């Protein structure tokens, strides 16, 4: 091959090679363009990239519904949702780069925290100085948890290095012990997704849990590759609906006052149980109700002593208060002859002997005296005259053996023991029959309100989160007895107070029309009735004013330790008399027949304490200040409550919690001081405060304070 031919061939080869290379380049470029186009359209390797991207950066979040409130008759919160706080101290950095402040001066920190926590300076310092060198963070047990906002803010103002707080959603009960078993309690649990769920476990919190809980919502949002939320991407999938509101019939002024009266009686006489309820006789609305033992609902302190509601869950033999219904049944059935005489003291029924509380009796007396003297034998005579069938029919008409409709969980129906003739006779004086407090209130309402029973109620209405209102108004039941019968029984109740032979003289109030029936019931044990002078259930039922009752008051006290020479009725009267006076004063909202003027206490939280003090004093109140700050952070009575002119209002400020002088204070005021400070006060003696173990101006700690009372 010539040189010329070789050159020509090489040239053609280069041309083919260049053409092939150009074609390959074009094909590669086309493939890239096609791939990019597919990606732009959201597809790659059979995957939808847009969908995959959204799956990676779209988050779904649960939006918690706020639990609704339980409020009093005036709309003031009894139970509400808020936050509690736990204080903790960082004493050593936990990791490299930890920029949080640590405790510098442990002694100063302990001194300062002791002002606000129910824990001594020494114990706080021990916590701040753990034995292990590896410990980086410490807490302060129960004393440092469950703190309210005011306490948290007060500690924060001290600017202590290394002191931090964690926040926990919680159910708050601003009144403390306040019909605790009826309002109820909740528990907070953490779900698998880390959410805090609050659920009612007792009382109205449980009965209306669904309404109070509301409905959680959901929202979606997107984040970038660094997990930062992208603005404008939030989308509400389902709107959260907050919980509804339960409106109770409770009057906070009466309820707080009743709690104070109950605490005083409980501490002095130590009954195993005690109940007190005041109900509107015409509408069945429960205005105040309390029991002992009780518990503090926010902390649960005392709950192990008694978890049951004595209003609806516990049953007992009521004793002689049942004679109200026995007398009414005998009169209404035409089986009452007041002038018929009978031999008192004891009676034999089918071989069983039944006795009067005065076993010697009063000789031959007319049936008109049986109710006044509280004669068991007289009531047996009435039951025998009526006949077992008629008497049982009236027991059923009065509602015994059936539940009330109080909307409280776990209510008992009670039981009527009627299998033997002696049992049938015993029910006439309140033995061999088990009842609840609520059943007794319902039965007595027939006598108080012209013969027609009303159902007791503690809920006035509910309003759901969507605004749906459900009313629980007066619920009239069957007419049990005639109006004339009811009038005659109430007149007999007045004689219990006014007649020299009556058992209720302790309940007399000058200038007030009061009718009562007292009761003393034996307590059933595992082997019959208990023996001993203290083993009785004492009770009293009152209707005020007796001519046309507005109020029914019912008190019970089991196995009190009375060593001061007073009778059980004297003790119960220390609750009944001031309570009914307060109720009448509130009813008139002015000067009542007992000369009491009521004023409304304003809302002073966040205001200057000197200005508040001047305002209260001008309104006729006494004022006590707890703390060294200038701003009011708490008050008792709470905002918008009514209080008697001349009574004491306690203000807590944002400064260090200091002890005021309590010289001359009554027990109810000292108990208010204990409530607002959260410190246990030990009360000794009777009368007015004359000495205190913690001097005025000293810091109040968790060690407690003893106050001695003497009569003036």
């Amino acid at each position: 091959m010539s040189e010329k031919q070789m050159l020509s061939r090489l040239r053609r080869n280069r041309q083919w090679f260049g053409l092939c290379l150009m074609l390959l380049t074009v094909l590669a470029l086309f493939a890239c363009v096609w791939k990019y186009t597919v990606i732009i359209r959201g597809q790659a390797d059979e995957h939808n990239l847009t969908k995959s991207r959204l799956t990676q950066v779209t988050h779904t979040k649960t939006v918690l519904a706020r639990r609704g409130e339980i409020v009093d008759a005036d709309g003031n919160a009894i139970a509400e949702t808020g936050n509690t706080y736990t204080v903790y101290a960082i004493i050593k950095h936990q990791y490299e780069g930890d920029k949080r402040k640590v405790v510098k001066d442990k002694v100063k920190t302990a001194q300062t925290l002791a002002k606000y926590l129910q824990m001594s300076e020494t114990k706080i310092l021990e916590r701040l100085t753990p034995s292990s060198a590896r410990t980086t963070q410490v807490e302060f047990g129960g004393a440092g948890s469950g703190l309210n906002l005011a306490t948290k803010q007060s500690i924060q103002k001290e600017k202590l290095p290394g002191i931090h707080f964690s926040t926990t959603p919680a159910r708050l009960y601003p009144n403390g012990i306040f019909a605790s078993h009826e309002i109820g309690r909740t528990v907070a649990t953490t779900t698998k997704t880390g959410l805090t769920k609050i659920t009612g476990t007792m009382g109205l919190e449980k009965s209306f849990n669904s309404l109070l809980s509301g409905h959680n919502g959901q929202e979606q949002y997107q984040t970038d590759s660094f997990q930062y939320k992208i603005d404008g991407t939030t989308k509400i999938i389902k709107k959260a609906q907050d919980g509804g509101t339960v409106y109770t019939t409770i009057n906070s002024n009466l309820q707080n006052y009743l709690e104070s009266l109950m605490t005083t009686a409980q501490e002095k006489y130590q009954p195993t149980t005690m109940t007190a309820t005041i109900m509107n006789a015409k509408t069945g609305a429960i205005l105040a109700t309390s029991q002992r033992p009780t518990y503090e609902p926010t902390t649960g302190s005392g709950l192990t002593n008694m978890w049951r509601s004595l209003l609806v869950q516990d049953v007992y033999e009521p004793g002689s208060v049942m004679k109200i219904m026995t007398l009414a049944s005998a009169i209404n059935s035409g089986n009452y002859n007041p002038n018929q005489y009978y031999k008192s003291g004891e009676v034999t029924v089918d071989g069983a002997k039944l006795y009067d509380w005065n076993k010697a009796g009063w000789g031959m007396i007319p049936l008109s005296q049986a109710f006044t003297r509280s004669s068991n034998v007289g009531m047996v005579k009435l039951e025998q005259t009526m006949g077992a069938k008629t008497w049982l029919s009236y027991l059923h008409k009065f509602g015994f053996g059936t539940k009330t409709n109080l909307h409280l969980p776990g209510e008992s129906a009670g039981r009527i023991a009627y299998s033997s003739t002696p049992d049938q006779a015993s029910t006439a004086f309140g033995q061999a029959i088990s009842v609840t407090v609520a059943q007794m209130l319902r039965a007595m309402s027939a006598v108080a309100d012209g013969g027609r029973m009303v159902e007791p109620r503690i809920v006035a209405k509910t309003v759901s989160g969507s605004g749906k209102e459900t009313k629980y108004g007066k619920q009239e039941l069957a007419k049990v007895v005639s109006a004339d019968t009811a009038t005659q029984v109430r007149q007999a109740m007045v004689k219990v107070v006014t007649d020299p032979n009556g058992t209720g003289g302790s309940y007399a109030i000058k200038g007030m029309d009061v009718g009562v029936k007292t009761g003393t019931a034996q307590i059933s044990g595992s082997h019959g009735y208990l023996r001993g002078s203290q083993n009785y259930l004492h009770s009293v039922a009152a209707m005020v004013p007796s001519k046309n009752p507005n109020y029914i008051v019912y008190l019970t006290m089991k196995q009190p330790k009375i060593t001061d020479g007073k009778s059980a009725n004297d003790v119960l009267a220390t609750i009944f008399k001031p309570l009914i006076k307060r109720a009448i004063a509130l009813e008139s909202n002015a000067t009542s027949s007992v000369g009491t003027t009521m004023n409304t206490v304003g809302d002073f939280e966040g205001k200057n304490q000197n200005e508040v003090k001047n305002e209260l004093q001008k309104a006729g109140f006494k004022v006590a200040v707890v703390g060294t700050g200038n701003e009011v952070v708490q008050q008792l009575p709470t905002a918008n409550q009514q209080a008697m002119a001349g009574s004491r209002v306690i203000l807590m400020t944002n400064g260090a919690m200091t002890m005021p002088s309590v010289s001359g204070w009554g027990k109810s005021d000292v108990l208010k001081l204990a409530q607002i400070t959260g410190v246990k006060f030990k009360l000794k003696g009777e009368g007015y405060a004359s000495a205190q173990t913690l001097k005025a101006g000293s810091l109040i700690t968790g060690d407690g304070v003893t106050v001695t009372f003497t009569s003036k």
Side-chain angles (χ1 to χ4, degrees):
M1 184 179 296
S2 65
E3 183 177 354
K4 184 177 180 180
Q5 288 176 325
M6 288 181 65
L7 290 172
S8 175
R9 188 174 180 180
L10 288 172
R11 189 182 302 112
R12 284 196 303 271
N13 289 343
R14 285 197 297 268
Q15 287 174 344
W16 277 107
F17 179 78
L19 181 61
C20 291
L21 184 61
M22 184 181 296
L23 287 172
L24 289 172
T25 302
V26 170
L27 287 172
L29 182 61
F30 178 79
C32 289
V33 170
W34 174 256
K35 191 73 173 178
Y36 182 67
T37 302
V38 170
I39 292 173
I40 289 176
R41 292 174 59 191
Q43 298 290 331
D45 298 328
E46 297 181 356
H47 291 288
N48 187 311
L49 295 184
T50 302
K51 188 175 181 180
S52 298
R53 180 181 66 82
L54 289 174
T55 302
Q56 293 171 12
V57 300
T58 298
H59 303 269
T60 301
K61 175 185 176 183
T62 299
V63 180
L64 290 177
R66 183 179 178 85
R67 189 174 178 85
E69 293 183 339
I70 301 175
V71 301
D72 69 6
D74 294 321
N76 301 310
I78 299 172
E80 58 188 351
T81 297
N83 294 321
T84 58
Y85 305 92
T86 299
V87 60
Y88 63 93
I90 296 178
I91 56 178
K92 186 178 180 181
H93 286 123
Q94 296 181 348
Y95 52 86
E96 188 176 345
D98 187 355
K99 296 181 179 180
R100 292 176 298 175
K101 293 182 178 180
V102 299
V103 174
K104 292 182 178 179
D105 188 335
K106 293 183 179 181
V107 174
K108 180 184 176 182
T109 300
Q111 290 174 342
T112 305
L113 288 178
K115 299 177 186 178
Y116 305 101
L117 307 183
Q118 293 186 39
M119 194 173 189
S120 68
E121 179 184 330
T122 302
K123 290 182 179 179
I124 293 175
L125 189 57
E126 287 177 1
R127 293 290 182 103
L128 293 173
T129 315
S131 57
S132 174
R134 295 182 178 181
T135 303
T136 60
Q137 177 178 312
V138 296
E139 294 185 358
F140 304 95
S145 61
L147 304 180
N148 59 32
L149 179 60
T151 303
K152 174 187 179 244
Q153 290 174 335
S154 296
I155 295 174
Q156 285 177 321
K157 288 180 180 179
E158 299 285 356
K159 297 182 179 179
L160 297 171
I163 297 301
H164 303 268
F165 296 87
S166 60
T167 304
T168 305
R171 194 66 166 163
L172 305 179
Y173 301 87
N175 294 300
I177 294 173
F178 185 98
S180 299
H181 286 81
E182 286 63 53
I183 302 305
R185 193 164 185 258
T186 62
V187 295
T189 55
T190 303
T191 66
K192 293 180 179 179
T193 56
L195 298 176
T196 299
K197 182 180 180 182
I198 298 176
T199 306
T201 58
M202 293 174 60
L204 296 177
E205 292 276 27
K206 181 177 181 179
S207 297
F208 292 92
N209 183 65
S210 179
L211 179 134
L212 290 165
S213 296
H215 302 282
N216 293 338
Q218 280 190 329
E219 66 178 25
Q220 286 185 346
Y221 62 93
Q222 296 179 28
T223 60
D224 59 19
S225 57
F226 296 100
Q227 297 300 305
Y228 289 110
K229 189 174 181 180
I230 301 173
D231 292 339
T233 62
T234 300
K235 179 182 178 182
I236 297 175
I237 305 300
K238 179 183 177 183
K239 189 176 181 180
Q241 186 179 95
D242 289 342
T245 304
V246 177
Y247 291 79
T248 70
T249 59
I250 291 177
N251 180 299
S252 285
N253 191 302
L254 276 178
Q255 185 66 46
N256 279 315
Y257 192 43
L258 177 57
E259 297 292 1
S260 175
L261 295 170
M262 291 283 280
T263 296
T264 300
Q266 169 72 18
E267 290 182 348
K268 184 170 183 179
Y269 298 105
Q270 300 175 24
T272 54
T273 63
M274 185 165 57
T275 72
T277 304
I278 179 168
M279 184 178 86
N280 185 305
K282 301 186 185 304
T283 68
I286 291 177
L287 307 176
T289 185
S290 180
Q291 71 176 61
R292 294 294 181 276
T294 188
Y295 71 97
E296 207 292 329
T298 299
T299 64
S301 175
L303 189 58
T304 54
N305 296 327
M306 174 63 71
W307 58 266
R308 302 181 309 279
S309 165
L310 299 183
L311 181 65
V312 296
Q313 290 181 293
D314 263 29
V315 294
Y316 60 97
E317 292 180 302
S320 293
V321 172
M322 178 61 75
K323 293 171 185 175
I324 295 173
M325 278 60 75
T326 308
L327 180 60
S329 301
I331 294 172
N332 203 69
S333 63
N335 291 292
Y336 177 60
N337 180 359
N339 298 315
Q340 178 185 345
Y341 276 75
Y342 71 96
K343 186 179 184 303
S344 61
E346 67 177 64
V347 62
T348 301
V349 179
D350 199 15
K353 284 190 175 183
L354 304 176
Y355 297 93
D356 280 324
W357 62 269
N358 173 17
K359 288 188 176 182
W362 305 275
M364 294 293 294
I365 60 173
L367 282 172
S368 61
Q369 292 186 18
F371 189 84
T372 308
R373 294 179 183 272
S374 198
S375 167
N376 293 343
V377 175
M379 294 300 114
V380 172
K381 294 296 182 183
L382 292 182
E383 184 271 334
Q384 291 175 331
T385 304
M386 282 189 284
K389 185 176 180 181
T390 297
W391 171 227
L392 181 61
S393 72
Y394 273 97
L395 286 173
H396 288 151
K397 288 177 184 178
F398 277 111
F400 295 111
T402 61
K403 298 178 182 180
T404 67
N405 192 26
L406 258 178
H407 299 100
L408 293 173
E411 182 174 3
S412 299
R415 179 174 174 271
I416 303 170
Y418 224 66
S419 58
S420 69
T421 305
D423 280 347
Q424 294 166 8
S426 296
T427 58
F429 54 87
Q431 304 276 183
I433 180 172
S434 60
V435 302
T436 65
V437 170
Q439 286 177 334
M440 290 295 286
L441 290 166
R442 177 175 63 185
M444 289 185 286
S445 73
V447 174
D449 195 29
R452 186 176 293 278
M453 279 198 315
V454 293
E455 198 78 89
R457 58 194 179 95
I458 200 169
V459 177
K461 68 176 182 178
T462 61
V463 179
S464 71
S466 62
K468 181 183 177 182
E469 183 175 280
T470 303
K471 292 185 177 181
Y472 299 89
K474 175 181 178 180
Q475 186 178 354
E476 286 192 354
L477 304 174
K479 190 160 187 173
V480 182
V481 296
S482 69
D484 180 63
T485 294
T487 298
Q488 289 186 58
V489 175
R490 294 198 304 272
Q491 289 172 345
M493 293 175 71
V494 172
K495 288 182 66 177
V496 173
V497 179
T498 60
D499 193 290
N501 295 316
T503 58
S506 300
Y507 304 99
I509 302 174
K510 187 176 181 180
M512 191 177 293
D513 176 21
V514 178
V516 310
K517 181 66 195 81
T518 60
T520 304
Q522 290 178 287
I523 299 171
S524 179
S526 56
H527 302 288
Y529 289 110
L530 301 179
R531 297 180 180 275
S533 59
Q534 291 185 341
N535 290 321
Y536 288 93
L537 176 82
H538 305 280
S539 60
V540 63
M543 299 180 188
V544 182
S546 70
K547 289 185 177 64
N548 185 21
N550 290 325
Y551 304 103
I552 297 172
V553 181
Y554 183 43
L555 313 176
T556 70
M557 179 174 62
K558 185 178 179 181
Q559 297 170 304
K561 297 175 178 62
I562 303 173
T563 58
D564 55 3
K566 291 184 178 180
S567 69
N569 284 320
D570 291 335
V571 175
L572 290 173
T574 64
I575 299 172
F576 165 73
K577 289 162 80 170
L579 179 65
I580 197 64
K581 288 179 183 179
R582 175 70 66 93
I584 291 174
L586 289 173
E587 178 187 358
S588 62
N589 198 28
T591 303
S592 72
S593 58
V594 293
T596 303
T597 301
M598 306 299 295
N599 289 324
T600 300
V601 179
D603 185 355
F604 301 118
E605 292 187 17
K607 296 182 179 179
N608 181 275
Q609 69 105 343
N610 289 321
E611 295 175 0
V612 171
K613 189 174 180 180
N614 290 334
E615 182 179 338
L616 285 168
Q617 288 172 340
K618 287 179 182 178
F621 293 108
K622 299 173 184 176
V623 183
V625 178
V626 179
T628 58
N630 294 318
E631 180 183 325
V632 177
V633 295
Q634 235 178 315
Q635 64 182 77
L636 274 180
T638 55
N640 302 317
Q641 282 192 11
Q642 288 190 319
M644 291 182 182
S647 64
R648 198 178 311 276
V649 177
I650 301 179
L651 305 175
M652 178 176 280
T653 71
N654 57 344
M657 197 162 67
T658 53
M659 180 72 184
S661 170
V662 299
S663 178
W665 289 25
K667 282 191 174 180
S668 62
D669 285 338
V670 176
L671 289 170
K672 276 195 275 186
L673 179 62
Q675 182 180 339
I676 201 169
T677 59
V679 174
K680 184 171 179 61
F681 278 65
K682 186 176 182 180
L683 311 184
K684 289 185 176 181
E686 292 298 319
Y688 297 88
S690 57
Q692 59 193 76
T693 55
L694 190 64
K695 293 181 180 179
S698 301
L699 293 176
I700 301 177
T701 67
D703 296 333
V705 182
T706 299
V707 178
T708 302
F709 295 80
T710 55
S711 300
K712 286 188 175 180

